[in-house]
Amino acid sequence: MYSTKTFEEFKNKLLEISHLASSAAVLHWDLETYMPKKGAAARAKSLSSLAAVVHEKFTSPEFEKLLTELKGASDNGLLGEAEACIVREVWRDFEREKKLPKEFVEELSRVTAEAHHIWAEARRESDFSIFKPKLKKIVELKRKEAELVGYKGSPYSALVDAYEKGATAEELSVLFEELKDFLVPFLGKIKSSGRNIGREVLLGDYDIGRQKELSKKIAEKIGFDFEKGRLDESTHPFTANFNPEDVRITTRFDATDVFPAISSTVHEAGHALYEQGLLAEHFGTPLGESRSLGIHESQSRLWENLVGKSLPFWKYWYPRLQEIFPKPFRDLNIGDFYRAINCVQPSFIRTEADEVTYNLHVLLRFEIEKDLIEGTIEVADLPEIWNQKFEELFGLKVPNDAFGVLQDVHWSGGSIGYFPTYALGNLYAAQFYAAAKKQILNLEEEISLGHFEHLLEWLRKNIHVHGRFYSQDELVKKATGEKLNAAYFVEYLKGKFGSIYGI
Ligand code: CO
């Protein structure tokens, strides 16, 4: 029989699990930032020990008993709205985890741990055949995972669901086809526009200390709270959240180009604003967690691209940038600067892609992953399929596997179904931004004056504070009045790059 005491007990267990997970996150952040090299082996063991404790607590019979009891109470309408949401979300996570036998989870984690080095070597050597046997094994295991979890329609949906709850292969196909139908000819028009815009004018000699100062200034100005966070350096920028009052971001510095530091800082700050905007009182429950990876990426992309690469943003920041780095910016006008940071150049590497070609990189991976999991293509054929699809989309011949099928770390870690969340992030971002622009008076004028708080308030109110209370569909509908669609992103690209390239 359900009692409030049961719920309290359940919540305490959730809190305990969350504190353990936060501790692991601190260790992981340290590993990526300050840990001495020799600490690696022991740190890996600390982390796997903690992960085992978390897993054990989450799947313990006592926890299951409490959760099952509350699920029954919730099904009978005995819980309040907030409690019912907590139980619903935890139940979903629990159900998925329970369907995967211990031996399966162990095998997957062993295979992917081994695969990492092998993939790294294969990429170094630019030789797919080195990675092929391991990837074959991983794909086999992921096909099995889909069977264990269960699905309707495509088995790929079962894998996507781990990152973007509720998203299906069928819905993504419709969305991404629409995108592709626009992007491929649009890229063609840009290429034949006759406007040759390049990034060369941005290159120079940039003091790292000054880059760091500037990165902090920008993060702070757009709303990152340094009393509840830090900015550090790492090879691959990331955001680590321990709780809403301690969120860490990292960035990277390039002595010849200041823009990577700026854009990765703004990107990670976007993620961090979401984490800092979750309500501390809900820490430990789904009400205090981010909704999904796609929604998370929408926050980073919105700040990085729609704001951070816009003219209004630079109307405010460019004079400041010119002051900090007189060379080369004193002699470069803001228009040429704006065009250079937004130049479109089809390239082989996803992480270096501009706003127009980025989603094409994701679509390529989506199609390949879906076919692999559905079993219509096999691992052995990947380089050939990759290179052929790449040429169709980008009009470029892939020179070798390192620039092609081997470039991303995801598959070696078993993260199949993750890539679509990047494209979803871009689509959500454009739709959210269009709604914010409609609802906030003179938004872009405010931004050009350095007032970012109106936009942040809008994001807080419409997205951040809700945690996992609403599904992505409900969230986007409440915030923008419509379900997710590609039209806003398409309109955004047409407007921005249409004017940059005169098409
Ligand atoms: Co991101």
Side-chain angles (χ1 to χ4, degrees), residues 237-239 267-268 271 293 296-298 300-301 304 358 418 422:
F238 68 99
T239 299
H267 180 97
E268 298 308 328
H271 281 303
L293 286 180
H296 228 306
E297 197 65 8
S298 79
S300 56
R301 294 277 165 180
E304 178 194 357
Y358 189 90
Y418 191 113
Y422 293 135

Side-chain angles (χ1 to χ4, degrees), residues 383-395:
E384 199 186 320
I385 291 170
W386 180 288
N387 296 348
Q388 185 202 328
K389 277 182 185 279
F390 195 90
E391 196 172 347
E392 280 167 24
L393 291 172
F394 294 84

Side-chain angles (χ1 to χ4, degrees), residues 6 34 80 93 105-106 126 194 245 249 402 421 454:
T6 315
Y34 293 106
D93 297 343
V105 176
E106 279 169 7
S126 189
E245 272 146 358
I249 57 175
T421 68
H454 308 291

Side-chain angles (χ1 to χ4, degrees), residues 15-190:
L15 272 173
E16 196 189 354
I17 292 168
S18 298
H19 282 297
L20 286 166
S22 285
S23 313
V26 178
L27 290 182
H28 197 264
W29 169 83
D30 174 70
L31 177 155
E32 299 270 359
T33 49
Y34 293 106
M35 189 185 73
K37 247 191 211 149
K38 287 206 167 166
R43 180 59 51 86
K45 284 194 181 125
S46 303
L47 280 167
S48 67
S49 307
L50 264 175
V53 176
V54 168
H55 180 79
E56 216 170 277
K57 290 201 179 284
F58 192 66
T59 53
S60 73
E62 304 92 78
F63 187 79
E64 180 166 14
K65 190 168 163 272
L66 288 170
L67 179 59
T68 313
E69 209 176 310
L70 290 167
K71 175 75 166 60
S74 180
D75 289 346
N76 289 316
L78 299 173
L79 297 188
E81 246 191 346
E83 287 81 9
C85 160
I86 293 171
V87 170
R88 175 193 75 211
E89 293 294 320
V90 176
W91 179 261
R92 283 189 185 168
D93 297 343
F94 182 81
E95 243 196 331
R96 184 177 180 100
E97 204 142 330
K98 229 188 105 185
K99 284 176 182 165
L100 304 174
K102 205 171 160 224
E103 304 73 48
F104 174 83
V105 176
E106 279 169 7
E107 189 181 7
L108 184 63
S109 94
R110 185 173 40 77
V111 170
T112 51
E114 292 162 2
H116 186 81
H117 310 284
I118 297 171
W119 162 76
E121 192 202 329
R123 190 171 75 158
R124 219 170 24 244
E125 302 289 321
S126 189
D127 182 355
F128 182 72
S129 70
I130 298 173
F131 184 42
K132 191 168 77 179
K134 268 284 176 269
L135 184 56
K136 229 174 128 184
K137 184 70 203 165
I138 291 171
V139 169
E140 255 167 47
L141 287 169
K142 297 306 278 189
R143 284 173 180 162
K144 192 168 166 199
E145 182 177 324
E147 295 306 321
L148 289 165
V149 171
Y151 55 85
K152 279 192 216 107
S154 169
Y156 185 57
S157 299
L159 301 185
V160 173
D161 190 77
Y163 307 108
E164 196 69 15
K165 204 142 288 212
T168 67
E170 291 77 13
E171 279 170 2
L172 291 174
S173 291
V174 173
L175 214 50
F176 291 172
E177 270 309 308
E178 191 186 333
L179 207 50
K180 191 163 127 183
D181 287 345
F182 164 73
L183 286 175
V184 175
F186 192 64
L187 181 60
K189 276 190 210 157
I190 288 176

Side-chain angles (χ1 to χ4, degrees), residues 459-474:
L459 296 169
R460 289 263 193 264
K461 186 174 90 166
N462 285 286
I463 297 150
H464 304 174
V465 299
H466 299 300
R468 286 165 70 181
F469 187 80
Y470 298 113
S471 68
Q472 297 93 290
D473 284 358
E474 289 166 343

